[in-house]
Amino acid sequence: MPVLPVPVRLRPPLWALATALLTLGAAQARPVAIGGSVQAASVGTRLLGGAEMLPVWSLPRLGVEVRNDPQDLRLKWGARELRYAPERGWRALGLSLNGSLPAPQLQGQSLYAPLAALRLLGVPLEADTPGLLAFSAPLRVPGETLPPSPDLPPVLSSPTAPSPVVPTTFSADAVTTAPPPTQTTLGPVPVFGNQLQTVRVNRELHRQVETQRVVLELSAPVVHEVQRITDGLAVRLPGVGLTPGEQALPSGDRLTLEQDAGGGWVRLHTGEGRSEVFTLADPPRIVIDTVTQLSREVPPPLDPQALPAGVTYRQLGGLHLLSFDPARFQARVVSAPRGSFAEVAQLVTQTGGVAGVNASYFDLASALPVDLVVSGGLMTAASLEKRATVGLLPGGGLIFGYPRPRYRVRGAFGEVQANAVTSRARPEWLTAFVGDGQTLVGAAGLLTLHVQLGAGTVTRAVSGPHVPPAGTLTLTFDPARFAQLPRQAGEPLDVGLDWRTDDAPWPQTRDALSAGPLLVQAGRPVTDPRREGFDTGASIWRPTRQVALGLWRGQPTIAYLEHGTPEAFAAALVQAGLSDACGSTAAAAPPPTARAATATSAATSTRCGAARCPTPSCSCRR
């Protein structure tokens, strides 16, 4: 049974891992992997002060809660915590300090904590070898910075009563004022009544998309200014006093506070992050939200406010639905070049679309689909004749069922059925293939006819191997075995796609693809893995993220479930009001904000599915 291969990371036995931890020799600088993915060099360990250390800003990626402060370092894992202050050294809560831990080290603007501290906290490791330090993927990434240690003297401040403030919103990307000048001090800095009292930082990470919130708490409202700088933004706080300093945030961004005679500057260096600035009242706060795409494989989150007319986004718990008005958008199946991979973003752009989703299974070795693909009326990949299929109607609708299409060749001799759809011909078969302008068809002793659906005649006849033009339907055969077929161009011959089913108007479809399982039919869950030949004991049926194409109130809809089985997905779709739905590459499909092989078009580059894939893409066009 062809299924989508899913890479499996083999874990060492626990006793072997324990032995590795006990027998590892002298520390050395090493790259770091998290959840099987090797991180950037900046996340790797360093040898500082004779000990192997990790940057504190990277520790939330391991699930460690931190306070990244050289004067008050906090590392928390579950109920265990380590705290460090220069004047008091290390302190432990929920565990015992056996021996001494190396002191943290400050290198440039980054604070480093000893690896021994993470081992003491019990942060799980997958591998600890001379060439790699591998951590397990955390169940969650902490989103908040720990507050100051309660057993240290508090920082004294003199807050004043807050005043009301009117919320306003600024888009940092839209600001076009000149960059702020570098800090200069021409005389004594005055004492300001309004003070920047606290800077709080929260961070969340979801599928390589990082959301960071920096909150500036003030003692009184201020009319601030937002200016764009080369690698981020600067916020001018006129008449506000602050304590100058610089700190590397858990995200790796750099926050700088500067004071001059006119007030304060807050500079946030975010690199490629996209930021928005707004204010809140009671107490007065300035909030900077930054979204950063950590990997090109996962696009930024979908922005519901940026969707074009005719596209509707809904979220119901872990279920996400993206629906398209069929009067405005037309679904299409598009594919990467035969035998190659392409990003779904590229496929969506090529079709002038707005969204895409991975839609069928494919073979990783050959980059070819393993089930039915029909594009523009031509069957480019044959059907397994057992999996659920979604067909795209000319009016923008979808149909679902179990067709078993074959090419039928008709003439005065009667009719004959094509045995396969492939470029590799066999003498005993009548082989069909749709040319791509690069792939050889035919063989010595075999004849290839070039035909067009509905044309009624042979357009060309070629003996031996050759490359047919892109989009040309070819029929290759042994003339001795199929003596009834034409031999020359111009002879009559009719070729059509026989869907061999009466469960839906399949002859009207121009695009179709098979994936499965069928999830919903007539508003009821109908998942039946046995009928479609799915192995429920295999990884492809495990609880994971799920993607489907369906109908909601007659509108073609991309549906995404964050986590669950196909049965749970079907139940969620019924509850959401979908009348019909067919699964599409569930084990490999990310949400409708990622890339994929099947695309549904609308005007915002919304993408979903696998990062790079060869399979067809279903695309909605205006």
Side-chain angles (χ1 to χ4, degrees):
M1 180 190 70
V3 296
L4 175 66
V6 178
V8 178
R9 185 173 64 254
L10 300 179
R11 299 177 181 268
L14 292 180
W15 63 266
L17 179 58
T19 302
L21 292 174
L22 291 173
T23 59
L24 187 65
Q28 55 182 326
R30 294 177 285 176
V32 167
I34 302 175
S37 176
V38 178
Q39 304 296 294
S42 60
V43 182
T45 69
R46 287 192 183 185
L47 292 179
L48 301 172
E52 189 175 14
M53 299 199 172
L54 285 162
V56 175
W57 61 261
S58 71
L59 301 186
R61 301 185 183 187
L62 310 177
V64 180
E65 297 177 84
V66 305
R67 178 174 178 77
N68 192 355
D69 185 344
Q71 304 302 315
D72 180 18
L73 173 64
R74 295 183 64 185
L75 308 175
K76 191 172 185 293
W77 175 265
R80 299 183 175 188
E81 183 178 348
L82 291 171
R83 299 175 181 172
Y84 181 86
E87 68 277 8
R88 300 179 63 174
W90 285 103
R91 293 152 291 154
L93 288 81
L95 72 159
S96 299
L97 276 173
N98 299 320
S100 59
L101 281 175
Q105 300 289 322
L106 190 62
Q107 290 288 307
Q109 301 299 325
S110 293
L111 183 63
Y112 284 77
L115 174 60
L118 301 187
R119 290 176 174 156
L120 193 59
L121 289 171
V123 179
L125 280 161
E126 289 187 341
D128 194 348
T129 67
L132 180 68
L133 186 65
F135 292 91
S136 302
L139 295 178
R140 74 176 188 92
V141 175
E144 296 186 358
T145 297
L146 291 173
S149 298
D151 54 350
L152 288 179
V155 178
L156 298 178
S157 61
S158 56
T160 60
S163 303
V165 64
V166 178
T168 56
T169 300
F170 301 87
S171 173
D173 292 336
V175 176
T176 58
T177 54
T182 57
Q183 178 184 357
T184 58
T185 303
L186 302 178
V189 176
V191 176
F192 298 101
N194 193 356
Q195 295 288 314
L196 174 60
Q197 296 179 322
T198 307
V199 178
R200 293 187 289 108
V201 181
N202 295 340
R203 176 179 179 266
E204 294 181 356
L205 183 64
H206 180 67
R207 293 188 50 78
Q208 298 301 306
V209 177
E210 175 187 76
T211 303
Q212 173 182 267
R213 168 164 289 186
V214 176
V215 180
L216 311 175
E217 292 190 355
L218 302 159
S219 61
V222 63
V223 179
H224 64 281
E225 302 172 6
V226 180
Q227 298 185 4
R228 187 170 57 191
I229 58 179
T230 304
D231 59 347
L233 59 88
V235 180
R236 175 62 166 163
L237 305 175
V240 174
L242 51 76
T243 302
E246 185 171 333
Q247 183 177 357
L249 303 182
S251 62
D253 294 347
R254 186 161 48 90
L255 181 68
T256 303
L257 305 180
E258 298 175 358
Q259 184 79 72
D260 62 22
W265 282 103
V266 177
R267 288 182 172 89
L268 183 60
H269 304 270
T270 60
E272 297 181 356
R274 189 178 70 250
S275 298
E276 181 183 62
V277 182
F278 59 95
T279 62
L280 295 173
D282 197 20
R285 287 156 290 168
I286 297 174
V287 182
I288 308 172
D289 280 347
T290 303
V291 176
T292 303
Q293 183 180 347
L294 301 181
S295 169
R296 290 188 59 195
E297 299 300 315
V298 181
L302 183 148
D303 181 3
Q305 304 302 319
L307 294 176
V311 182
T312 304
Y313 170 73
R314 295 183 298 145
Q315 181 176 357
L316 306 171
L319 180 66
H320 304 256
L321 301 172
L322 195 64
S323 301
F324 301 86
D325 180 355
R328 294 173 178 262
F329 299 96
Q330 175 67 57
R332 280 188 54 191
V333 171
V334 295
S335 302
R338 176 180 169 82
S340 64
F341 294 87
E343 295 184 356
V344 173
Q346 176 185 354
L347 298 177
V348 172
T349 301
Q350 289 174 350
T351 59
V354 300
V357 60
N358 198 24
S360 65
Y361 300 100
F362 58 91
D363 176 59
L364 290 177
S366 65
L368 295 176
V370 297
D371 211 335
L372 174 66
V373 177
V374 177
S375 181
L378 293 173
M379 181 167 58
T380 58
S383 171
L384 296 176
E385 301 188 359
K386 61 182 179 181
R387 296 277 167 81
T389 300
V390 56
L392 314 181
L393 295 172
L398 305 179
I399 58 174
F400 305 86
Y402 298 92
R404 296 171 291 117
R406 293 285 186 92
Y407 281 117
R408 292 277 183 178
V409 180
R410 300 178 177 88
F413 55 85
E415 69 176 32
V416 63
Q417 177 177 280
N419 301 92
V421 179
T422 178
S423 60
R424 297 181 180 180
R426 292 170 56 173
E428 67 273 24
W429 283 2
L430 172 60
T431 304
F433 181 73
V434 178
D436 60 3
Q438 298 179 350
T439 305
L440 279 169
V441 300
L446 302 183
L447 181 67
T448 298
L449 303 180
H450 293 198
V451 296
Q452 293 182 356
L453 294 181
T457 59
V458 177
T459 59
R460 185 184 178 193
V462 182
S463 296
H466 69 288
V467 177
T472 300
L473 177 60
T474 64
L475 300 170
T476 300
F477 57 95
D478 180 357
R481 181 177 292 272
F482 294 91
Q484 72 272 40
L485 295 181
R487 299 287 192 277
Q488 297 178 359
E491 294 190 49
L493 189 69
D494 182 63
V495 182
L497 195 56
D498 181 4
W499 291 91
R500 300 194 300 162
T501 183
D502 57 3
D503 63 352
W506 291 100
Q508 299 178 23
T509 63
R510 298 285 293 170
D511 294 70
L513 46 87
S514 298
L518 190 65
L519 299 168
V520 179
Q521 192 170 44
R524 297 171 43 247
V526 292
T527 306
D528 188 351
R530 183 174 299 179
R531 173 178 180 175
E532 299 186 33
F534 284 104
D535 181 1
T536 57
S539 61
I540 203 169
W541 204 265
R542 72 189 189 280
T544 183
R545 51 187 180 268
Q546 306 281 346
V547 170
L549 296 175
L551 285 172
W552 174 72
R553 299 181 179 179
Q555 294 189 349
T557 297
I558 296 174
Y560 163 64
L561 183 69
E562 294 177 2
H563 186 81
T565 63
E567 291 86 354
F569 191 22
L573 293 173
V574 169
Q575 187 174 6
L578 271 76
S579 60
D580 299 88
C582 178
S584 61
T585 324
T593 55
R595 297 184 178 90
T598 300
T600 311
S601 311
T604 56
S605 296
T606 305
R607 288 123 19 204
C608 58
R612 295 175 64 81
C613 46
T615 56
S617 299
C618 166
S619 161
C620 294
R621 303 189 59 146
R622 290 180 183 274

